[in-house]
């Protein structure tokens, strides 16, 4: 979901300024999620929160951090993004790298790569695959930072000091560009043109997906019901799933696993991403108590399902009492069913991998996204 150019949905009413009001839910609602991730990290050798530490602690970003401190007290979203790097209570910011490492270990040593020796592996993973996991995290972090760029065209004095927001935008652009440049440099150092091609296409998908989000979920399009669930899945894959799916595929290509292994790795990453996003979208609808303040997204899967089920005329009438309306119809249950479908597809993709603790961890993660 996007947050940069949006106000929030809070309570029964809806207010927006230009873009639609949305909220960013990064985490799965399951209380067992942290344990599943923690157990998986032990299998790959070290906590994935250290994955991009070398880059994040570089002199260049240290200088950026000094400027970010000036934003304290302002409403710029870059601050909340920065806090997430320091304290990620839901264990989600490094999930993409963790999945890449687990799949690399689950696939085992490559039989076709004559230049790769089993003794080069650390905890069952080749160094190049660990580098790829770091690259994946850097790309994800760069785009997360870039999403914090605020559209200032409709900014008013009552929204806060304009100069703080302008400074925040500059910092978001520069720091995001820096992370992306480091990722591209590391990608070139892998010396594999096919992997470069795969990851480059994932970056292109991310850009396209974010553009679609900002175009499709304008106030006019939501009122018009322009997005159905098929469009939601397509756009969500581009903006949330393509990077993981293609990184999983690249991890297999990097050590010359066969095409079928690459296809299954891609399939696992794709369906896990979509299932995790569905779980995230469902949290406000399955966890919120009556009368409790909440924030949810008009691009959330249950809302899209609900709009598709009730039809355009009724959708317009219900917009002011949206939460109760979505809960009372089949939008939530339909989103749950779709989440379970993607979880099952992810499990199906790794059944042919050799039985191992890494495969078990991947199965646990795929199962955890169906716990609401």
């Amino acid at each position: 979901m996007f947050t940069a150019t949006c106000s929030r949905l809070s309570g029964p009413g809806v207010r927006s300024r230009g873009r639609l009001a949305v909220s960013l839910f990064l985490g799965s609602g399951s209380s067992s999620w942290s344990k599943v991730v923690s157990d998986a990290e032990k299998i790959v050798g070290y906590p994935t929160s250290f994955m991009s530490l070398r880059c994040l602690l570089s002199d260049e970003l240290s200088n950026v951090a000094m400027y970010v401190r000036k934003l304290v007290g302002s409403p710029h979203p870059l601050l909340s993004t920065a806090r997430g790097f320091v304290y990620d209570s839901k264990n989600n910011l490094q999930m993409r790298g963790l999945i890449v490492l687990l799949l690399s270990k689950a696939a085992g040593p490559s039989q076709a790569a004559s230049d790769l020796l089993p003794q080069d592996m650390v905890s069952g993973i080749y160094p190049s695959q660990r580098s790829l996991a770091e690259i994946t995290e850097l790309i994800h972090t760069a785009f997360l930072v870039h999403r914090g760029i605020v559209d200032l065209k409709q900014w008013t004095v009552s929204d806060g000091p304009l100069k703080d927001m302008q400074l925040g935008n500059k910092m978001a652009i520069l720091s995001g560009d820096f992370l992306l440049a480091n990722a591209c440099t590391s990608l070139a150092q892998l010396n594999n043109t096919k992997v470069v091609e795969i990851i480059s296409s994932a970056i292109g998908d991310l850009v396209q997906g974010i553009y679609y989000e900002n175009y499709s979920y304008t106030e006019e399009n939501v009122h018009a019901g322009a997005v159905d669930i098929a469009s939601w899945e397509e756009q969500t894959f581009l903006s949330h799933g393509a990077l993981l799916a293609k990184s999983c595929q690249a991890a297999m290509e990097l050590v010359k696993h066969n095409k079928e292994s690459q296809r299954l790795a891609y399939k696992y990453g794709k369906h896990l991403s979509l299932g995790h996003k569905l779980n995230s979208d469902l949290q406000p609808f399955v966890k919120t108590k009556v009368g409790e303040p909440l924030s949810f997204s008009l691009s959330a899967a249950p809302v899209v399902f609900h709009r598709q089920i009730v039809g355009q005329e009724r959708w317009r009438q219900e917009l002011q009492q949206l939460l109760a309306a979505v809960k009372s119809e089949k939008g939530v249950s339909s989103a749950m069913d779709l989440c379970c479908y993607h979880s099952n597809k992810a499990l199906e993709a790794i059944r042919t991998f050799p039985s191992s603790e890494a495969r078990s961890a991947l199965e646990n993660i795929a199962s955890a996204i169906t716990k609401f």
Side-chain angles (χ1 to χ4, degrees), residues 127-158:
S128 58
Q129 291 173 317
R130 289 192 182 272
S131 295
L132 178 63
E134 293 181 9
I135 291 165
T136 301
E137 285 304 334
L138 283 175
I139 293 170
H140 170 64
T141 304
F143 276 86
L144 197 62
V145 171
H146 277 160
R147 281 172 180 251
I149 300 170
V150 178
D151 183 0
L152 299 177
K153 290 179 182 177
Q154 300 181 19
W155 196 261
T156 64
V157 176
S158 61

Side-chain angles (χ1 to χ4, degrees), residues 157-348:
V157 176
S158 61
D159 294 321
L162 180 61
K163 65 176 183 179
D164 287 346
M165 306 306 291
Q166 290 172 333
L167 175 63
N169 278 359
K170 291 177 182 178
M171 293 300 101
I173 292 168
L174 290 172
S175 52
D177 286 352
F178 172 76
L179 291 169
L180 194 56
N182 271 266
C184 292
T185 300
S186 299
L187 185 60
Q189 290 171 349
L190 293 176
N191 294 317
N192 188 310
T193 54
K194 182 61 176 177
V195 168
V196 171
E197 179 184 334
I198 293 170
I199 301 301
S200 297
S201 70
I203 294 173
D205 289 340
L206 271 168
V207 174
Q208 187 178 359
I210 294 170
Y211 170 79
Y212 280 158
E213 279 185 353
N214 284 277
Y215 171 76
S216 299
Y217 297 113
T218 60
E219 186 171 7
E220 295 79 9
N221 282 343
V222 166
H223 277 279
V227 179
D228 58 16
I229 200 63
S231 300
W232 180 91
E233 282 199 274
E234 180 184 351
Q235 294 169 15
T236 299
F237 172 71
L238 290 173
S239 58
H240 292 82
L243 178 60
L244 178 58
K246 292 186 176 182
S247 293
C248 291
Q249 176 189 355
M252 302 297 101
E253 165 65 32
L254 198 56
V255 296
K256 297 182 175 61
H257 282 297
N258 60 37
K259 295 295 182 182
E260 179 62 9
S261 295
Q262 293 181 38
R263 185 188 70 82
L264 292 173
Y266 175 93
K267 182 180 177 182
Y268 179 87
K270 172 186 175 180
H271 289 291
L272 183 73
S273 298
L274 291 172
H276 188 270
K277 182 64 167 62
L278 282 157
N279 184 295
S280 177
D281 280 2
L282 280 160
Q283 292 311 303
F285 302 95
V286 298
K287 294 295 185 184
T288 306
K289 298 177 182 177
V290 177
E292 182 180 335
L294 64 116
S295 295
F296 65 93
S297 169
L298 291 180
S299 65
V303 180
V304 177
F305 265 119
H306 174 74
R307 186 170 65 236
Q308 189 169 296
I309 291 166
V310 302
Q312 187 57 31
E313 184 176 347
R314 186 173 161 191
W315 162 253
R316 288 175 178 169
Q317 296 171 356
E318 289 179 342
L319 204 53
Q320 296 301 317
Q321 292 82 32
L322 191 56
L323 177 66
V326 173
K327 282 187 172 182
S328 65
E329 296 288 347
K330 296 181 179 179
V332 172
S333 61
S334 297
M336 286 181 170
D337 290 343
L338 187 58
C339 182
C340 292
Y341 166 81
H342 285 297
S343 172
N344 290 334
K345 283 293 185 181
L347 290 168
E348 180 184 293

